Amino acid sequence: MSSQTTEPRGKPNSPRGGATGVLDAPPSDPADQPRAQSQEPSEDRETLTKIYHQMLLIRRFEEKCAEAYSLGKIGGFCHLYIGQEAVGVGAISALRDDDYVLTSYREHGQAIAKGISPEAVMAELYGKAGGCSGGKGGSMHLFDKRVNFLGGHAIVGGQIALATGVAFASKYQETDQVTLCFFGEAAVNQGAFHESLNMAQLWKLPCIYICENNQYGMGTSLARAMSFQNVAYKARAYELASEFVDGMDVLAMRQATQRAVKRAREHYLPTLIEARTYRYMGHSMSDPGKYRTRAEIEKYQERDPIKAFTATLKAQGILTDKDIADFEAQVNETVARSVRFAEESAEPDPSELYQDVYANPLN
């Protein structure tokens, strides 16, 4: 598939000001031609196998979450990332450890990819004190400042404005840190999306906005909710660089994010990436998914991102059948260990109810 990128022209700005660019219109509609990866991976074996391991770990972790939820061990809402692993893993693999990530409530996989341990994530889902948010956040509010993962956010689009603020802080402090912000396509209809893109381009902020377009906002299809459905094109209103990417292709996501990171780190310029992807499960574990057909799901399962990446690595001689079996065994043990940790972790002490409510605790 051919590539489609819009790139603003203009003199790169200084850390605290600069010129606006003029957008070049792409030659064709990006909705039909998402950007694909290079024909052969340019990454070394260590990088490629790490990406494969993370995708497989997230898939097996989420499958175990579904099982635990069905057994009543995980309460509240639980939104699984099965089918979308290539977006989060590919994008986060292009970051440095000190870069920031903010995302929505479908964040278990992204939290693991950014460096939160599976044990801390699973314990949080169980509501235990050993969780990354002390058992008080649950599935939708994973957080760990030590790895600069600044949340899962339950309010649709709420993280977009926050990520813009984090990027502003990086620029104000004159660091070269980049902020990555994930959100679903339903959030594009929120005012915060448009206000943030306008501000990011106007002030030249190092923020990368990644729309995970899985084509359904809860049970409502994109066609029924958005009058103009080419999300990447919406960047043109703000003279913002944008790309439309195959979100089922982990290396395409990595390469697109690398280009955006370079733009943000070197020139304090934002980017909008639309990643066309698909979730195989319902919106949440309580969603029966009656708004789509089995045939539609099976069509996208034929392009399963993990199966496709496995085939690529085998064809390139990077993975053997034994390697794949070894990775599967390692991942299964990691997931089993995370469950044991969650089940053995203590419940939060009742006194924790009054902690983290105010910046300066009341006496």
Side-chain angles (χ1 to χ4, degrees):
M1 290 179 285
S2 65
S3 65
Q4 297 299 335
T5 308
T6 63
E7 185 75 49
R9 292 196 307 263
K11 183 179 179 181
N13 59 298
S14 66
R16 297 192 180 178
T20 4
V22 177
L23 186 68
D24 285 331
S28 62
D29 187 341
D32 298 322
Q33 299 181 355
R35 188 162 193 158
Q37 69 170 47
S38 303
Q39 291 302 309
E40 288 192 17
S42 58
E43 292 79 2
D44 58 31
R45 185 182 188 279
E46 181 180 358
T47 300
L48 293 170
T49 53
K50 180 181 179 181
I51 289 171
Y52 174 78
H53 177 267
Q54 284 193 332
M55 292 177 71
L56 187 62
L57 172 59
I58 291 167
R59 176 67 62 88
R60 298 294 177 255
F61 184 92
E62 293 289 64
E63 290 169 349
K64 183 58 71 172
C65 287
E67 179 184 321
Y69 187 93
S70 298
L71 293 172
K73 296 182 178 181
I74 295 175
F77 291 102
C78 186
H79 307 81
L80 303 181
Y81 206 50
I82 295 175
Q84 299 183 212
E85 297 93 346
V87 180
V89 172
I92 292 173
S93 74
L95 299 181
R96 286 192 327 223
D97 290 345
D98 65 336
D99 290 328
Y100 295 96
V101 170
L102 291 86
T103 185
S104 67
Y105 42 76
R106 196 182 306 281
E107 88 276 38
H108 310 161
Q110 293 156 341
I112 291 171
K114 189 63 174 75
I116 304 180
S117 72
E119 291 88 345
V121 175
M122 188 65 79
E124 189 61 38
L125 301 185
Y126 272 56
K128 297 294 189 68
C132 58
S133 299
K136 298 194 291 183
S139 171
M140 297 195 287
H141 299 286
L142 305 177
F143 188 99
D144 193 338
K145 178 62 178 67
R146 291 171 297 182
V147 297
N148 283 350
F149 187 84
L150 305 186
H153 297 268
I155 302 299
V156 175
Q159 74 276 20
I160 301 176
L162 295 175
T164 305
V166 172
F168 175 84
S170 295
K171 180 175 180 178
Y172 187 80
Q173 294 170 355
E174 298 187 1
T175 74
D176 65 347
Q177 290 164 287
V178 169
T179 299
L180 202 59
C181 180
F182 294 95
F183 50 92
E185 80 288 342
V188 172
N189 288 336
Q190 300 293 322
F193 168 82
H194 300 275
E195 295 170 62
S196 295
L197 262 62
N198 179 64
M199 187 176 293
Q201 180 65 5
L202 186 66
W203 289 354
K204 302 295 182 287
L205 304 181
C207 195
I208 302 168
Y209 302 94
I210 298 185
C211 175
E212 299 193 73
N213 186 351
N214 64 24
Q215 304 167 60
Y216 288 93
M218 296 186 70
T220 303
S221 69
L222 179 66
R224 295 181 56 208
M226 193 178 293
S227 61
F228 182 66
Q229 296 159 30
N230 298 344
V231 175
Y233 256 32
K234 295 179 188 290
R236 300 174 69 184
Y238 308 104
E239 297 192 335
L240 203 80
S242 67
E243 290 202 36
F244 184 79
V245 183
D246 182 358
M248 307 299 270
D249 184 334
V250 67
L251 294 183
M253 281 304 309
R254 173 178 166 83
Q255 291 161 7
T257 308
Q258 285 175 325
R259 289 186 287 272
V261 165
K262 179 178 174 64
R263 190 178 295 119
R265 212 180 299 285
E266 295 182 1
H267 304 300
Y268 288 96
L269 289 172
T271 303
L272 172 64
I273 297 174
E274 178 186 357
R276 185 63 60 87
T277 185
Y278 197 83
R279 56 172 165 80
Y280 296 152
M281 307 292 284
H283 171 72
S284 70
M285 283 296 296
S286 59
D287 173 18
K290 295 181 179 180
Y291 45 84
R292 52 185 185 168
T293 65
R294 185 69 232 170
E296 177 183 314
I297 297 172
E298 289 174 351
K299 181 185 75 171
Y300 284 96
Q301 286 176 331
E302 292 174 0
R303 297 192 62 240
D304 185 295
I306 298 178
K307 290 181 180 178
F309 192 48
T310 302
T312 296
L313 296 184
K314 287 185 69 175
Q316 297 294 327
I318 294 168
L319 284 185
T320 64
D321 289 337
K322 183 181 183 304
D323 293 330
I324 293 169
D326 289 345
F327 274 119
E328 190 74 53
Q330 292 171 21
V331 161
N332 288 336
E333 173 53 32
T334 299
V335 173
R337 188 168 60 247
S338 74
V339 172
R340 290 195 298 271
F341 179 83
E343 292 180 343
E344 294 169 3
S345 291
E347 299 284 346
D349 189 274
S351 65
E352 287 295 313
L353 182 65
Y354 303 100
Q355 300 300 315
D356 306 316
V357 178
Y358 295 99
N360 299 308
L362 301 177
N363 294 323

